[in-house]
Amino acid sequence: MCYDTSNDKVVGKFKDEALGRPISEVVALSSKMYAYRQEPLPCDNKPAKEEKRAKGVCRAIVKSELNLSKYKKCLFGLQVFENQQAVIRSKNHKLGVYHQLKTSLSPIDTKRYILDDGINTYAFGHYKIGEMEIMKMFY
């Protein structure tokens, strides 16, 4: 048996989303918007597979139109991806099908100040942000 269930539902232990399969590549745009590639276990006959998560985007869009390469283009190429999705909504107690254009992937982080290296960040309001902006004006 390749998968161990002895730690299931034990308080303080994390859930293994990959079910013991090694993760070879991860692209994380935010906490609830990420994709990763799983490699097969030696005892599996299954091929490598991609898992994708995008909160607020319809599951059908995530499954059919988003892939690991789009997450990479978004992160490294600073591209924003939009998709049109159909939703069932109630407006004035009347059900209807509405089409909405939704930003599915975005590299913009509105909660953090991204430093010049593109990796490290500070929370907005951090005391060093003001000092850095002053330094940029003079240099």
Side-chain angles (χ1 to χ4, degrees):
M1 181 160 122
C2 292
Y3 180 66
D4 184 22
T5 59
S6 63
N7 289 326
D8 281 355
K9 297 184 181 180
V10 177
V11 176
K13 301 218 175 165
F14 288 99
K15 176 186 165 198
D16 182 13
E17 279 188 42
L19 300 175
R21 296 172 74 171
I23 296 175
S24 62
E25 194 171 5
V26 177
V27 179
L29 300 173
S30 67
S31 62
K32 295 180 180 176
M33 190 174 297
Y34 58 91
Y36 58 90
R37 175 174 288 123
Q38 297 176 352
E39 296 302 322
L41 287 172
C43 60
D44 276 348
N45 292 331
K46 299 176 184 175
K49 94 178 192 186
E50 288 183 2
E51 287 288 326
K52 304 160 286 209
R53 302 279 187 268
K55 184 181 178 196
V57 181
C58 182
R59 269 181 272 159
I61 300 291
V62 172
K63 185 177 179 182
S64 65
E65 297 191 27
L66 299 182
N67 55 29
L68 193 64
S69 64
K70 281 193 178 178
Y71 279 81
K72 283 183 190 176
K73 284 181 190 173
C74 179
L75 182 64
F76 299 117
L78 301 177
Q79 290 182 351
V80 176
F81 290 95
E82 293 180 336
N83 291 94
Q84 187 167 0
Q85 61 186 25
V87 293
I88 299 171
R89 292 265 162 88
S90 171
K91 195 171 190 179
N92 295 331
H93 299 288
K94 293 182 182 177
L95 287 177
V97 177
Y98 298 96
H99 294 278
Q100 62 181 186
L101 187 65
K102 208 145 189 193
T103 302
S104 52
L105 297 177
S106 174
I108 300 166
D109 190 356
T110 57
K111 301 193 183 219
R112 306 287 295 180
Y113 179 85
I114 302 171
L115 299 178
D116 292 332
D117 62 1
I119 297 171
N120 297 312
T121 63
Y122 288 128
F124 280 116
H126 194 276
Y127 73 95
K128 287 187 178 178
I129 294 173
E131 293 173 5
M132 284 187 282
E133 292 300 324
I134 293 169
M135 296 294 281
K136 284 181 185 176
M137 288 185 344
F138 293 111
Y139 296 106

